[in-house]
Amino acid sequence: MFYLSRQTVSRHRSLYAGSFVALAVGVFLLGLAATATAATIAYRGPLADSITVTTLGGNDTAPTQVRVPTSAADTSGLQVVLSMVGTISGFITIFVIASTFAFAVASRRREIGLLRLVGATPRQVRRMILGEAFVVALVAALTGAVLAELATPLLLRKASYTELAPVKLEPASPWVPLAIAVGIGLLVAMLGARSAARRAGRVGPIDALREAALEPPRIGPVRIVFGLLFMAGSITLLTLIRPSTGEGVMPLAMFTPMLLVIALTLLAPLVVPWISRLWALPLTAWTRVSGSLARSNVVAAPRRSASLAAPILAISAVAGSMVLSLSFAADSAEATIRDSLRAPIVVTGDAKLDASLGTVDAGVPLQFVRIDQDSAELEDAEGIDPAIAARTRNLTPLSGDLDKLTGNTVAISKEMSSLEHYKIGDEVPVTFLDKTAAKLRIVAIVPDAFGVTPSFLIPLELAHKYAPTAEPERRFILPAPGVDVLGTVDSAVPAADWEAAQAEGVRKGNQFGLIMLLGPAAFYSAIAIANTLLMGSLQRRHEFITSRLLGATPAQIRRMVLWESSLVGAVALSLGTAITVTVGILIRHAMTSGMADVAVTVPWGVLLGIAGLCLTLAVGSALAPTTYILRRSQPSAAVE
Amino acid sequence: MTATAPTYPSVVPTEAPALLLDGITKTYRSKAGAVDALRGVTYHFARGSFTAVMGPSGSGKSTLLQCAAGLDQPTSGTVVLGGTKLNGLNEVTLTKLRREEMGFVFQAYNLLPSLTVHDNVALPLRLTGRRPRRADVHRVLEQVGLEGKAKRRPAELSGGQQQRVAIARALITRPSVFFADEPTGALDSGTSRQILGLLREATDRAGQTVVIVTHDPVAAAYAERVLFLSDGLLAGHLDRGTPSQIAAAMSDLER
Ligand SMILES: Nc1ncnc2c1ncn2[C@@H]1O[C@H](COP(=O)(O)OP(=O)(O)OP(=O)(O)O)[C@@H](O)[C@H]1O
Ligand SMILES: [Mg+2]
């Protein structure tokens, strides 16, 4: 059947152009992620800047030696982001390939029926479709790999000396990473083509004789069951987005929308017609005929409309909830910073401070390697004078006693204690950067104060002893009565200004992560949206020409397509909005419970931008081929 | 009209029939209600016979052909083709039977647009896993008068030429039964004659059985027997009728 696959692909080039572009871009992103990862692995930081420690072992894990890099010259941040970019690309590729191949099969029903008629078995038909997928995938994957290889030096130049990889990265040997990317691309394409192939195998020889069969009206019970299962799973996860879940709410807020999208995509043929009817109410009232035609087209072909809506729904829901969640997280971080700091004045420079100014909380920042059963990690800590710090910041212990912070002791944040299951009295093995090892006994658990106080607090003497060169980076001041600190010390600022600057830093960091994560996904989704709508319109050549024959003007047909694609876009965006709002409300509640006066920052610009972009893309890519078809063909072509 | 008796003996009763229909009924069910397209058809198609099926639009001709060829399952009744009972065969066995024993020609959409004429004709052989010999393909193309067009694609051929390619494709596997549903429906009379001549030749020279559905009395006159179908029932037959006799019988039926 392979020879047949090759022939049909070259014949149906336009039908497969979508799959080709989608997969080439997917493999391009995968390949870039892979070559860049290879470059980070090939990068060897200076050996002096690391500490080798032995993990504790236990619970079936043997103690092992790990090298913990201590300089900032570390590329693990970039590696994490790259692996996420790779995962997202692979995941979306399956969806895009599945939908483009489903389209290709649906529009060739008659041809497949003919094949069956002249003696192809269902198995041969399946193999033919898979063969077509393979031909397209192979060419696309190789193209993507070549593009990735060409773009790698550019990416590495951009990524070098950034927050994620503050070093110079050089391209490593591309063969292995690109082979992996091509392999994954092929695998993913074949997975995506499987359901289309199975559907093609079910086409009977009799389909060759019937008029282009309308799609089967009902969706399969299996699809409904899976849709409901995903729905139930997402709702369960949604109920977990509550205050008691603690730090887990943020991953939940990012992961649940994806599940919801899958659930809604599966159930879309049931859901889409209803929402379309709602949206069509104003449309049919305002327009004369094009609006109601558009409505019937969307409602009567629920499967088609659903697959057109799917990519818009996916990106709007995922991006929308991510943007909103991160913004609300920043709001809550801002409130935490505000609530954690009691001192009215902060000195950020290294000005000499006279003791007569008031109480000065000059904590010393330092780092140590914390050793676990199976890992070791570099942690931020601060050496404090507990008597003073307890007055300038909110350090009232949730349990334990801060007064006992003397000698080899440590106070940890609530987050750290719940993350690592530490209790009062536990001993934490650490190695300071001067390579001395110590065991620190936990004496208190204090509230989280991200941005003000790190997760580990040790006595000031201990910090001076093991990090003698460390200097305070900022000092919190409780002025003595009648002293004007702001007027006398240059680098002194009101606490509110400092808090605002810290919060701004959090938002900036979020933004950077968002661009790194969503950038490729958004780019890819844009292609997917354009892809499906373009193919959707191209498929309707015959219908458009017949309408022309019946007396519809080109303008009328264009208006119909305009309304149709807007309707599909509106339906998808309203579902995406529903998901975004639900997740937003839940995460806001989870993150701000117990806090007062938390600002509400809704990034309207970004959210509306996403919606606008989706809609423009959808309408544009439906209209462009329509205009092209109408210009290229006369009504008489309908008779051919 | 020579006979309207309710039983229809095969033309050459000495041999086992190529195709046997026994009490075929077919009911289509849809939201709009049930349609009885066939209401009990029994008939034996003799080996080497050329039979035309005629009847008013909607009388069940296409349905009959589809059930006889195993493309559709009858609601009740049995179909036996060359000694094999089609009822209850699985899709793969049915497919193999179809590609070895049956040939099809329809009014339109007979060819795969992506394949050349040569590849379209060779397709059934390829599907059986055999490597088609160039000479075989050439021979059947010659038989239908298209020897120079092997490298063309269907879109580059006229309607009649496309139909002849479809016949060549059916000829190459030497099927025992040809099914044709309005094979000349969209062709001019000259081209129609050419197509029907080819089918006629298949029965005369190779002893293949041909069943065609047609509206055209001239086309039906190529058959030694015309069956008339009305409302899902056989309403009579006419042997070796002239076009005008067939036309008269048809208008009787439609009255
Ligand atoms: N797939 C189907 N679903 C429901 N009803 C059908 C279907 N196919 C055919 N019918 C109905 O069955 C009856 C017989 O149809 P059939 O196609 O066999 O007629 P025909 O004799 O071939 O007509 P024509 O000469 O117009 O081709 C008709 O009433 C038709 O409406
Ligand atoms: Mg018919």
Side-chain angles (χ1 to χ4, degrees), chain A residues 1 3-4 7-8 10-12 110-112 114-122 124 204-206 208-211 217 542 640, chain B residues 28 31 66 71-72 91-92 95-96 98-99 104 106 109-116 119 123-124 126-129 153 155 169:
Chain A
M1 292 312 276
Y3 109 99
L4 200 59
Q7 304 266 340
T8 38
S10 63
R11 173 74 186 184
H12 295 282
R110 189 156 211 167
E111 193 183 317
I112 293 168
L114 186 61
L115 261 175
R116 295 276 289 108
L117 189 69
V118 299
T121 58
Q124 284 176 316
I206 196 139
L209 310 178
R210 297 204 171 125
E211 257 310 304
H542 209 263
E640 78 191 14
Chain B
Y28 289 110
K31 271 190 207 141
Q66 286 162 16
L71 299 176
D72 213 349
E91 201 43 54
V92 175
T95 303
K96 288 187 174 150
R98 196 153 51 222
R99 73 183 170 204
F104 296 93
F106 296 103
Y109 303 109
N110 275 301
L111 307 176
L112 285 180
S114 46
L115 301 184
T116 60
D119 288 347
L123 187 60
R126 274 188 191 268
L127 289 171
T128 58
R153 290 188 196 270
R169 183 187 59 201

Side-chain angles (χ1 to χ4, degrees), chain B residues 61-63 181-182 213 215:
Chain B
K61 304 181 295 293
S62 298
T63 308
D181 194 344
E182 301 185 29
V213 166
H215 282 288

Side-chain angles (χ1 to χ4, degrees), chain A residues 562-577:
Chain A
L562 168 76
W563 293 131
E564 241 178 84
S565 48
S566 313
L567 200 53
V568 168
V571 170
L573 285 178
S574 39
L575 288 173
T577 308

Side-chain angles (χ1 to χ4, degrees), chain A residues 159-509:
Chain A
S160 292
Y161 307 115
T162 58
E163 290 165 52
L164 289 171
V167 299
K168 172 113 183 76
L169 291 169
E170 299 286 355
S173 162
W175 296 110
V176 175
L178 287 184
I180 293 174
V182 168
I184 293 179
L186 286 179
L187 186 77
V188 154
M190 298 322 274
L191 281 178
R194 242 176 40 163
S195 68
R198 235 182 275 137
R199 199 170 308 158
R202 280 201 294 269
V203 172
I206 196 139
D207 287 300
L209 310 178
R210 297 204 171 125
E211 257 310 304
L214 263 180
E215 58 183 81
R218 280 178 302 141
I219 65 173
V222 178
R223 184 170 174 166
I224 296 181
V225 167
F226 269 97
L228 290 177
L229 278 179
F230 271 103
M231 198 48 133
S234 331
I235 290 174
T236 315
L237 288 183
L238 280 180
T239 59
L240 285 179
I241 305 184
R242 56 175 178 232
S244 55
T245 309
E247 285 306 305
V249 294
M250 207 58 209
L252 276 176
M254 307 216 163
F255 181 64
T256 317
M258 298 193 195
L259 278 189
L260 275 169
V261 165
I262 296 177
L264 282 178
T265 307
L266 287 172
L267 297 175
L270 296 180
V271 180
V272 166
W274 288 105
I275 307 180
S276 320
R277 284 202 186 91
L278 271 184
W279 275 105
L281 285 181
L283 202 59
T284 42
W286 289 337
T287 65
R288 284 217 309 231
V289 60
S290 49
S292 66
L293 260 179
R295 189 189 72 152
S296 339
N297 285 343
V298 172
V299 174
R303 249 174 211 266
R304 207 180 72 99
S305 311
S307 53
L308 295 181
I312 306 177
L313 167 63
I315 193 63
S316 65
V318 171
S321 7
M322 223 180 231
V323 167
L324 198 60
S325 302
L326 281 175
S327 177
F328 284 166
D331 283 340
S332 125
E334 196 171 349
T336 310
I337 293 173
R338 184 199 62 205
D339 293 347
S340 305
L341 189 59
R342 288 184 183 155
I345 288 169
V346 181
V347 174
T348 53
D350 51 3
K352 188 107 188 65
L353 296 183
D354 201 83
S356 63
L357 285 175
T359 312
V360 178
D361 172 9
V364 178
L366 76 162
Q367 289 181 310
F368 54 65
V369 176
R370 181 176 59 86
I371 301 164
D372 237 340
Q373 276 178 353
D374 54 359
S375 66
E377 242 159 283
L378 193 67
E379 303 280 7
D380 285 321
E382 187 178 352
I384 57 162
D385 179 339
I388 296 178
R391 288 170 61 207
T392 59
R393 331 175 190 185
N394 177 19
L395 287 180
T396 317
L398 301 165
S399 60
D401 186 354
L402 212 53
D403 289 342
K404 295 200 181 126
L405 195 67
T406 56
N408 280 354
T409 55
V410 65
I412 62 171
S413 70
K414 175 166 161 286
E415 179 198 342
M416 185 51 68
S417 88
S418 61
L419 222 56
E420 299 289 338
H421 306 291
Y422 286 137
K423 300 181 302 292
I424 301 284
D426 284 355
E427 294 205 319
V428 185
V430 301
T431 301
F432 289 97
L433 296 197
D434 65 356
K435 305 221 164 82
T436 33
K439 284 198 167 163
L440 304 180
R441 191 166 42 82
I442 299 174
V443 294
I445 293 169
V446 296
D448 294 324
F450 180 71
V452 176
T453 305
S455 296
F456 293 87
L457 294 171
I458 59 173
L460 197 56
E461 321 81 76
L462 218 55
H464 283 318
K465 186 163 145 201
Y466 293 120
T469 55
E471 287 292 330
E473 281 166 355
R474 77 282 178 275
R475 285 163 287 184
F476 304 130
I477 312 229
L478 290 171
V483 179
D484 176 19
V485 183
L486 289 176
T488 49
V489 183
D490 278 347
S491 53
V493 291
D497 290 4
W498 183 79
E499 286 159 11
Q502 294 295 97
E504 191 50 38
V506 172
R507 270 185 212 281
K508 278 249 171 65

